[in-house]
């Protein structure tokens, strides 16, 4: 069967039955019947770990007064965003794994909501890391002014800007898509995203493609540019300084941040590159799924093990629990 025929097959299934116009057929994750339960267990474990680890980090920073510092308060945006990304993606994925392909229905409204939060998660992953890089720049390059610059008001403004920019940009992105009429009912993707939604229309999607391209370019250029410039200035300060404690602190905090950023950047670029090769459509779908799921469980591990203060507090909490038992 050709690829065209296989893509039309679900539409034919839908045509053989009477379904409301707002119901779509979601492709979901392609797994064999034998591998469906192992895949379900794997993603369930990932989801449970992601939720426990990220909620645990937020709770730890909230309860420990010594962690009530701008760096850690800004960091709380990252696990919060990971919780959003995992929750909007994995529960629906688990449901689809245990559901046969012809029965993976989703309403148009649910699909739009999932696409919105999926793109907000992806965008906020960059904007949050950008404001965290700014915090590290001020702490290392302007340590004497750190307390006057990174006030509670500034932390709130930075956090609101990271989320606000993502919500506005994604809102416009999805707004341009939901204005289109629909002539198809199949989502050829493991989850709903903007591209899958505007492909449901038979109208011209030139504006959607142009805005999507501008959105992606602006996000990546501003993200890469600001973080590269920040680390360049930090490197210059560290190389010109003879303060070993400053250099050690910069290396520890910046290496953790940079590792997380490279993971996010690598996942994003992999999906973008694979989009240019239709022959690797299945690989792109799996990569886009893993690119959304993997960082949500890796981020708390990286920050929990690499950040000395957080690691010490985690060990202290476990020690208290052990003594109490």
């Amino acid at each position: 069967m050709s690829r065209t025929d296989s893509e039309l097959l679900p539409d034919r299934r839908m045509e053989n039955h009477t379904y409301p116009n707002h119901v779509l057929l979601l492709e979901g994750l392609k797994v064999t019947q034998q591998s469906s339960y192992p895949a379900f267990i794997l993603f369930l474990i990932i989801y449970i770990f992601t939720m426990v680890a990220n909620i645990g980090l937020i709770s730890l920073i909230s309860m420990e007064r010594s962690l009530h510092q701008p760096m850690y308060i800004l960091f709380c945006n990252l696990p919060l965003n990971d919780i959003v990304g995992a929750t909007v993606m994995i529960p629906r994925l688990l449901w689809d794994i245990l559901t046969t392909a012809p029965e993976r229905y989703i309403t148009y409204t649910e699909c739009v909501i999932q696409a919105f939060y999926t793109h907000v998660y992806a965008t906020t992953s960059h904007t949050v890391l950008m404001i965290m890089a700014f915090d590290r720049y001020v702490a290392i390059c302007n340590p004497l002014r750190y307390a006057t610059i990174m006030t509670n008001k500034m932390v709130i403004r930075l956090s609101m800007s990271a989320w606000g920019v993502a919500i506005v940009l994604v809102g416009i992105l999805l707004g341009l898509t939901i204005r289109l009429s629909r002539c198809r009912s199949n989502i050829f993707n493991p989850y709903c995203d903007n591209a899958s939604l505007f492909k449901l229309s038979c109208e011209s999607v030139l504006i959607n493609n142009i805005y999507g391209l501008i959105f992606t370019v602006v996000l990546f250029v501003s993200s890469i540019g600001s973080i590269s410039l920040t680390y360049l200035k930090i490197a210059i300060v560290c190389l010109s300084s003879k303060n070993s404690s400053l250099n050690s602190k910069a290396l520890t905090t910046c290496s953790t941040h940079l590792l997380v950023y490279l993971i996010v950047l690598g996942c994003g670029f992999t999906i973008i590159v694979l989009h240019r090769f239709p022959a690797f459509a299945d690989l792109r779908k799996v990569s886009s799924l893993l690119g959304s799921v993997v960082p949500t469980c890796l981020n708390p591990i990286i920050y929990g093990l690499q950040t000395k203060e957080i690691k010490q507090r985690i060990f202290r909490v476990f020690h208290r629990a052990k003594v109490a038992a």
Side-chain angles (χ1 to χ4, degrees), residues 110-302:
E110 290 172 338
C111 197
V112 170
I113 291 172
Q114 187 184 47
F116 176 79
Y117 283 107
T118 298
H119 286 288
V120 166
Y121 159 72
T123 307
T124 309
S125 295
H126 287 270
T127 56
V128 166
L129 289 169
M130 287 165 68
I131 64 172
M132 289 174 68
F134 173 75
D135 171 76
R136 290 300 82 208
Y137 165 75
V138 177
I140 295 168
C141 299
N142 292 289
L144 299 179
R145 297 184 58 203
Y146 183 76
T148 58
I149 295 175
M150 296 305 297
T151 60
N152 290 336
K153 188 178 290 186
M154 176 59 79
V155 170
I156 293 172
R157 284 178 181 174
L158 288 172
S159 298
M160 290 182 65
S161 65
W163 288 93
V165 167
I167 290 170
V168 170
L169 291 177
V170 174
I172 297 172
L173 185 75
L174 268 298
L176 291 171
T177 297
I178 61 178
R179 70 185 173 86
L180 300 170
S181 61
R182 303 189 304 278
C183 63
R184 302 182 184 91
S185 55
N186 295 92
I187 301 291
F188 296 105
N189 212 37
Y191 58 90
C192 294
D193 61 1
N194 181 61
S196 300
L197 284 170
F198 70 62
K199 286 177 182 177
L200 298 175
S201 177
C202 293
E203 297 180 32
S204 171
V205 293
L206 179 62
I207 296 176
N208 299 70
N209 285 322
I210 292 174
Y211 179 78
L213 179 62
I214 294 172
F215 180 5
T216 304
V217 170
V218 169
L219 179 63
F220 275 86
V221 169
S222 59
S223 170
I224 295 171
S226 62
I227 291 180
S228 298
L229 184 62
T230 297
Y231 277 110
L232 178 62
K233 290 186 176 182
I234 289 174
I236 292 172
V237 169
C238 290
L239 290 173
S240 60
S241 173
K242 296 181 180 180
N243 189 334
S244 59
S245 62
L246 172 67
N247 294 344
S248 176
K249 182 180 179 181
L251 180 63
T252 303
T253 58
C254 292
S255 62
T256 304
H257 175 272
L258 186 59
L259 179 58
V260 171
Y261 180 69
L262 289 175
I263 291 172
V264 171
L265 197 64
C267 292
F269 271 125
T270 300
I271 297 167
I272 291 172
V273 170
L274 288 176
H275 258 293
R276 305 301 168 204
F277 299 95
F280 299 103
D282 289 338
L283 180 60
R284 175 188 59 79
K285 293 172 185 178
V286 174
S287 298
S288 64
L289 180 62
L290 294 178
S292 300
V293 172
V294 171
T296 62
C297 60
L298 282 184
N299 291 344
I301 295 175
I302 294 170

